[in-house]
Amino acid sequence: MAHPSRQLKGPATSVTQHPDTIFLNADILTMDPVRPHAQALAVRGRRIQHLGDRQEVLALRGATTEVVDLGGQTLLPGFVEAHGHPTIMALALAPPALDVRPFTEPTGDGVLRRIRRAVRVAPHEPVAAYGIDLLLQRDLPLLDRVLLDELAPHAPLVVFSNSGHAAYANTAALRTAGITRHTPDPAGSRFIRDQHGEPTGEAHEAGAVEALMWTVAGDKLEPHTLRSSLEWAYAQHASAGITTATDMATPPHLLAALTAAAERPHVPLRVRSYLIGTPELAADPGSLFGADPGAERLFAVSGVKLWADGTPWQGSIATSFPFQDNEATLRIGMNHCTHGPMNYTPDQLADLAAAFLSRGISVACHVHGDVTFDAVLEAYTRVARTDPDLLRRLRPRMEHCGAVTPPQFRRAAELGATVSLFMDHVRWWGDVLADDLFGPRTAETWMAARSAWDAGHRLSLHNDGACSPTDPLSSIATALTRRAHPSGRVHGTDERLTIDQALRTVTANPAWQLSLENDIGSLRPGMQADLTLLDRDPRTADPDRFLDQVSVTGTWLGGRPTWTA
């Protein structure tokens, strides 16, 4: 693998402001339709000073200009993670976290072994295990407070689903959280109860899951630990070529920590937060929101996140077509019910969305089911009736969009809303969708990227933080092939993207969704020098071997190196 070589070059030219750095000997893919390609790029301060051929850019160099020879590799704008969770990664996955996701612990037996080992080491300390998946870890027994009390009799134990939409607590955790039969369900979420009304330890959706999370967060919230955990999470993004990430679902009490992280020297990531959109926040948003200060600021709040429905892996999305009634759907708790719920009634959702949008606060709405998507569209439509241009100004989003149809994508685009798809659903769960939950026809149109693109959306793709490995190259590869892992089966050839389209979904398009298109997402003079270096031109790779043939070898944030292979 080639690596950048560095050397100082001179003599100075007559130009009064020489670049700090010149990047040479690269195939530069700019994502700028005016000038799609360049051979060299000059950076002064944090911004791009000039792009052009080798000689014209070299002519700008001064005595102290650093020249970086990229060895024929390919330079692109820094990747933008459209729907990320750096804080969840910090709290749930940063070492020494108990990461039991199916990507790291493929069997249920392995999950239980690791939990027992963690409890044995510290029997009186809270334990959090993140990432079980009942559909990928088929030998994992169903969790309830009885089993979890057996695993951890003395201290809180909470096991979180990989989707983040469910959590399972023992008696000690319920007691610490103050959850009893009399505890009301938080808005848009619920505590599962037995026939006597007692909580079983299972919680569904954001508010209920968060109530359990704080019982085991413990030392993770100590300033020093939180700082180092965020540094770890940010470094994971930089190593994947990501220079900007959203933090979808930031608790307001963590804003100070995120602000402080952005002010530390050598921070490798720009973050834009979407706060948890509760009715309480809608009633009193205070001074948490304002115009984005621009990409020079490495942290800002961009809007709020709402959850209109849940996840197919818990049977909690509202679809016009049925879930299958089989062993898999019984395992995720559907109990012969072939249709899932929404988290709100349509009127509740519309009122909540309008409360934020009418104040000029952008909304990102989690939605999978086509029935739920109609409810989100209606909520946005109600707002548009009072101010037809409001949605185009605020660019409200729909997140994930698993079961969305082409007419729905078209209607969303006409309204001025925008969509971001969790493309790696097809990679990791494509076979589950086809064989266990819905059937092959639904799997073929799940995450219908081509339909969204053809409907006129500036489509972005994302990895959803901890829910799948943070890797934009994986999103690109899945968009190109729609192959499931590990079977290699293809689900939906008609919904594949071209490589040029896929590259835009992780660069220019998510930058536009964040209203930062004049600062990041493409390479042209005046833009932030956010750069991702790949070891080869991704347009020449074999789509079926994309992840074997293409890798990130360097990342720069505002012209400053943040990671190198």
Side-chain angles (χ1 to χ4, degrees), residues 274-513:
Y274 284 74
L275 304 185
I276 299 172
T278 62
E280 294 78 14
L281 185 61
D284 183 18
S287 60
L288 295 175
F289 303 94
D292 194 302
E296 285 281 345
R297 286 272 291 277
L298 296 183
F299 176 75
V301 175
S302 288
V304 298
K305 182 185 176 186
L306 309 179
W307 286 262
D309 62 5
T311 172
W313 325 137
Q314 301 288 152
S316 55
I317 65 171
T319 54
S320 61
F321 48 88
F323 281 82
Q324 298 180 141
D325 185 1
N326 57 26
E327 180 184 349
T329 53
L330 288 174
R331 179 169 170 77
I332 61 176
M334 297 202 70
N335 195 24
H336 304 291
C337 177
T338 56
H339 285 81
M342 288 176 54
N343 290 341
Y344 300 92
T345 68
D347 284 340
Q348 288 172 334
L349 180 64
D351 290 344
L352 190 55
F356 289 109
L357 291 168
S358 63
R359 295 174 181 264
I361 299 169
S362 190
V363 169
C365 195
H366 170 114
V367 51
H368 269 303
D370 59 332
V371 170
T372 316
F373 198 85
D374 275 340
V376 177
L377 285 172
E378 179 56 30
Y380 288 169
T381 299
R382 291 191 196 182
V383 175
R385 290 190 188 113
T386 63
D387 184 347
D389 294 326
L390 182 63
L391 298 189
R392 297 198 180 277
R393 293 199 305 271
L394 296 181
R395 302 175 187 176
R397 300 168 49 148
M398 286 89 148
E399 308 298 304
H400 308 327
C401 306
V404 179
T405 66
Q408 289 177 317
F409 280 129
R410 289 195 293 272
R411 184 181 169 201
E414 290 164 0
L415 276 173
T418 183
V419 297
S420 186
L421 272 58
F422 189 171
M423 197 68 245
D424 267 358
H425 260 210
V426 176
R427 179 183 182 191
W428 298 108
W429 293 275
D431 294 345
V432 168
L433 291 162
D435 300 338
D436 298 317
L437 297 188
F438 298 117
R441 290 187 64 184
T442 297
E444 289 175 358
T445 56
W446 196 260
M447 301 297 166
R450 166 64 70 176
S451 293
W453 189 282
D454 290 346
H457 284 284
R458 299 193 198 192
L459 168 71
S460 68
L461 304 179
H462 62 258
N463 290 118
D464 200 15
C467 297
S468 73
T470 298
D471 184 4
L473 291 179
S474 180
S475 297
I476 292 172
T478 306
L480 295 178
T481 66
R482 296 186 64 92
R483 286 195 182 278
H485 176 84
S487 71
R489 290 164 59 188
V490 174
H491 299 287
T493 57
D494 290 345
E495 292 297 343
R496 293 184 295 197
L497 297 179
T498 69
I499 182 61
D500 290 325
Q501 292 167 340
L503 289 172
R504 295 191 70 83
T505 66
V506 296
T507 54
N509 289 3
W512 177 86
Q513 290 178 334

Side-chain angles (χ1 to χ4, degrees), residues 144-160:
D144 58 20
R145 66 191 295 181
V146 175
L147 174 57
L148 297 182
D149 284 349
E150 175 193 328
L151 292 171
H154 304 300
L157 167 64
V158 181
V159 181
F160 299 91

Side-chain angles (χ1 to χ4, degrees), residues 125-195:
E125 296 295 324
V127 172
Y130 184 87
I132 65 163
D133 190 303
L134 296 175
L135 295 170
L136 296 182
Q137 297 160 327
R138 288 296 178 95
D139 62 324
L140 180 68
L142 299 180
L143 302 183
D144 58 20
R145 66 191 295 181
V146 175
L147 174 57
L148 297 182
D149 284 349
E150 175 193 328
L151 292 171
H154 304 300
L157 167 64
V158 181
V159 181
F160 299 91
S161 70
N162 181 61
S163 69
H165 288 265
Y168 308 83
N170 68 351
T171 298
L174 291 172
R175 186 184 307 118
T176 301
I179 298 167
T180 70
R181 64 181 301 156
H182 304 295
T183 303
D185 290 338
S189 60
R190 55 204 171 275
F191 299 109
I192 307 302
R193 305 169 196 270
D194 63 19
Q195 64 270 29

Side-chain angles (χ1 to χ4, degrees), residues 82-108:
H83 183 119
H85 292 285
T87 55
I88 289 178
M89 290 176 65
L91 293 171
L93 299 180
L98 199 57
D99 179 1
V100 294
R101 296 176 298 166
F103 325 114
T104 55
E105 188 56 72
T107 70

Side-chain angles (χ1 to χ4, degrees), residues 231-283:
E231 288 173 353
W232 177 87
Y234 289 7
Q236 298 300 301
H237 286 76
S239 68
I242 298 169
T243 53
T244 300
T246 62
D247 191 57
M248 283 287 178
T250 304
H253 66 269
L254 292 183
L255 288 176
L258 291 170
T259 301
E263 294 170 350
R264 288 197 294 275
H266 313 303
V267 61
L269 187 68
R270 182 184 298 103
V271 175
R272 290 297 181 264
S273 277
Y274 284 74
L275 304 185
I276 299 172
T278 62
E280 294 78 14
L281 185 61

